[in-house]
Amino acid sequence: ASMAKFDAALDGSGNVTAFKARVVCGSSQKSSTDGIYNSLYSFPAQLVEFVADTVEVPLGSWRSVGNSQNCFFMESFIDELAAKAGQDPIAFRRKLLNEGNSPSTNQQRALTMLDRLVTESGWDTPVPAGRARGVAISMSFGDTVVGEVVELSGDATTGWKIWKVTVVIDPGSVINPDTVKAQVEGAIIMGLGAAMYGAQTFTAGAPNKRNFDTYRMIKMREAPVAINTVIIESGAALGGIGEPGLPPIAPAVGNAIFTLTTSRLRSMPLAPTSSTPVTQPPSISSVSPSSGPVGSTVVISGSNMSGATSVSFNGVNASSYTVVSGSSITVTVPAGAQTGKVVVRTPSGTAESPNSFTVTAPRISGISPSTGPVGTVVTISGSLFTGATAVQFNGVSATSFTVVSASTIQA
């Protein structure tokens, strides 16, 4: 267990003029401040303090040791400073890496890494609607430099969907690239599990979560849809690879959540508290009625439909729908809809109706009067006229018509 307090001063141009960090941890090891006192960044004035706390629970080193929690503290705070300064998070980090101002060897490696990270992640390109990106970088274990960009969607109620993690890593020299990628991917999955669900509580000194039925791990459906690992060989001394991929993932997720929601998460776990997984994909059990005209109201029944981002009929998106609950959605059949499957999309996945919904066509039973000059008002009788988008006379569209009811149109 570890906590930290950070302070910094910014000048009128958004430059950091002073930096202070105090870490409280139940360990007296030097690694308790790793990733903070020896970070890649340069500050005109810096003070890093450590306070050893007495913890009755036995502690041990975890994968990436002090860098795990300290990278979350440090990179979350750096991102917060960038937001305060009104600057792009990567551009802000470049300044702290002395870009254009005699950077150190490792800072230059980090700047090169950021160049590649921007390109590989599409940092400067728009994200799909409902998504956001977050970034974090670190240097650890033999001066291995790594940066990660997370692209996610979701909210604090339904949870977070990780669509893509882009990793650029410079371990100096590489012997086996496949090993590098395997270690990085494993570190990201392990780090995500801790970041999302890694809380432990105690009662009378005994842990309450004693096995995997109560201690949550990342499941296959919660893993990133894609992890893209890019390796840079800078020619520096051989660095570590088993641990450096883990520290940036938690702050990158937290920073993406901030970009998406403007809510800054300063503690882990990051996932909403729930006794059941919050990223279950949706499912549709029925659509009632099973047929109807454009403009009619349909009830979709199923599960895990909270946070639905779209409802479509055979590929045509409905412009009006209401998520009544996680098990029910009411929707208006959109203009242009044709017979086919109903699809509900949420940040956690896509559901398709088991049966097709039949869009019934309008029918005309009579036109009164049956003759008349241009400008004559004609009453069209029939059925299923709700939502009519056009009325034509032998291929010529009427410029004015009124849908009086489902059975009457005046044109």
Side-chain angles (χ1 to χ4, degrees), residues 312-383:
S312 61
F313 289 74
N314 198 21
V316 178
N317 284 333
S319 59
S320 176
Y321 65 91
T322 302
V323 180
V324 180
S325 66
S327 59
S328 179
I329 293 176
T330 59
V331 59
T332 301
V333 180
Q338 297 182 7
T339 298
K341 295 296 182 71
V342 178
V343 174
V344 172
R345 290 181 174 84
T346 75
S348 302
T350 301
E352 187 177 86
S353 61
N355 300 307
S356 293
F357 178 84
T358 302
V359 179
T360 51
R363 294 183 179 182
I364 298 176
S365 59
I367 300 175
S368 179
S370 59
T371 62
V374 171
T376 301
V377 176
V378 174
T379 298
I380 305 170
S381 301
S383 61

Side-chain angles (χ1 to χ4, degrees), residues 147-328:
E148 297 176 9
V149 168
V150 166
E151 185 175 305
L152 57 70
S153 63
D155 56 54
T157 301
T158 60
W160 312 108
K161 175 70 174 181
I162 312 295
W163 294 99
K164 182 169 67 172
V165 179
T166 304
V167 186
V168 178
I169 187 165
D170 174 9
S173 302
V174 174
I175 297 173
N176 188 333
D178 286 342
T179 296
V180 173
K181 292 183 178 181
Q183 289 291 334
V184 167
E185 291 172 0
I188 285 172
I189 296 300
M190 187 175 184
L192 273 176
M196 294 296 190
Y197 305 114
Q200 178 64 279
T201 57
F202 297 83
T203 300
N208 294 318
K209 301 175 183 179
R210 303 176 66 88
N211 212 325
F212 294 123
D213 59 335
T214 52
Y215 186 85
R216 283 280 277 114
M217 304 290 286
I218 287 288
K219 299 184 178 181
M220 290 184 68
R221 64 173 175 268
E222 299 169 321
V225 175
I227 300 176
N228 178 30
T229 302
V230 178
I231 302 170
I232 294 177
E233 289 194 73
S234 61
L238 195 67
I241 195 59
E243 297 175 283
L246 188 146
I249 189 63
V253 170
N255 294 337
I257 291 172
F258 171 76
T259 302
L260 184 67
T261 66
T262 69
S263 177
R264 181 69 66 181
L265 303 182
R266 295 191 177 94
S267 62
M268 295 186 280
L270 303 176
T273 302
S274 175
S275 59
T276 58
V278 295
T279 54
Q280 294 269 14
S283 65
I284 298 176
S285 57
S286 66
V287 176
S288 179
S290 59
S291 64
V294 168
S296 62
T297 299
V298 172
V299 177
I300 304 171
S301 300
S303 61
N304 303 315
M305 296 190 294
S306 296
T309 55
S310 70
V311 178
S312 61
F313 289 74
N314 198 21
V316 178
N317 284 333
S319 59
S320 176
Y321 65 91
T322 302
V323 180
V324 180
S325 66
S327 59
S328 179

Side-chain angles (χ1 to χ4, degrees), residues 8-244:
L10 298 172
D11 63 18
S13 299
N15 300 308
V16 179
T17 58
F19 171 85
K20 178 182 177 182
R22 171 173 286 192
V23 178
V24 179
C25 183
S27 170
S28 59
Q29 299 178 12
K30 182 181 179 180
S31 62
S32 298
T33 55
D34 264 351
I36 301 177
Y37 85 92
N38 55 355
S39 78
L40 281 160
Y41 303 125
S42 293
F43 304 108
Q46 172 177 302
L47 175 63
V48 178
E49 300 176 313
F50 169 68
V51 178
D53 187 28
T54 301
V55 179
E56 300 301 327
V57 178
L59 301 176
S61 296
W62 190 64
R63 188 173 185 175
S64 75
V65 201
N67 283 280
S68 57
Q69 71 269 14
N70 290 337
C71 188
F72 174 72
F73 297 151
M74 186 74 171
E75 286 298 283
S76 298
F77 184 64
I78 295 299
D79 221 67
E80 196 161 342
L81 289 177
K84 183 71 174 179
Q87 299 179 21
D88 174 83
I90 288 184
F92 187 79
R93 285 169 170 82
R94 289 185 188 279
K95 291 199 303 182
L96 294 178
L97 294 168
N98 286 325
E99 183 175 47
N101 188 30
S102 301
S104 68
T105 299
N106 285 334
Q107 286 177 331
Q108 185 55 59
R109 291 171 62 205
L111 288 167
T112 301
M113 175 272 294
L114 281 176
D115 289 340
R116 191 68 180 273
L117 189 62
V118 166
T119 301
E120 296 290 340
S121 67
W123 181 263
D124 292 330
T125 63
V127 294
R131 299 187 192 182
R133 297 187 185 108
V135 64
I137 71 172
S138 72
M139 181 182 71
S140 59
F141 303 99
D143 293 344
T144 291
V145 175
V146 60
E148 297 176 9
V149 168
V150 166
E151 185 175 305
L152 57 70
S153 63
D155 56 54
T157 301
T158 60
W160 312 108
K161 175 70 174 181
I162 312 295
W163 294 99
K164 182 169 67 172
V165 179
T166 304
V167 186
V168 178
I169 187 165
D170 174 9
S173 302
V174 174
I175 297 173
N176 188 333
D178 286 342
T179 296
V180 173
K181 292 183 178 181
Q183 289 291 334
V184 167
E185 291 172 0
I188 285 172
I189 296 300
M190 187 175 184
L192 273 176
M196 294 296 190
Y197 305 114
Q200 178 64 279
T201 57
F202 297 83
T203 300
N208 294 318
K209 301 175 183 179
R210 303 176 66 88
N211 212 325
F212 294 123
D213 59 335
T214 52
Y215 186 85
R216 283 280 277 114
M217 304 290 286
I218 287 288
K219 299 184 178 181
M220 290 184 68
R221 64 173 175 268
E222 299 169 321
V225 175
I227 300 176
N228 178 30
T229 302
V230 178
I231 302 170
I232 294 177
E233 289 194 73
S234 61
L238 195 67
I241 195 59
E243 297 175 283

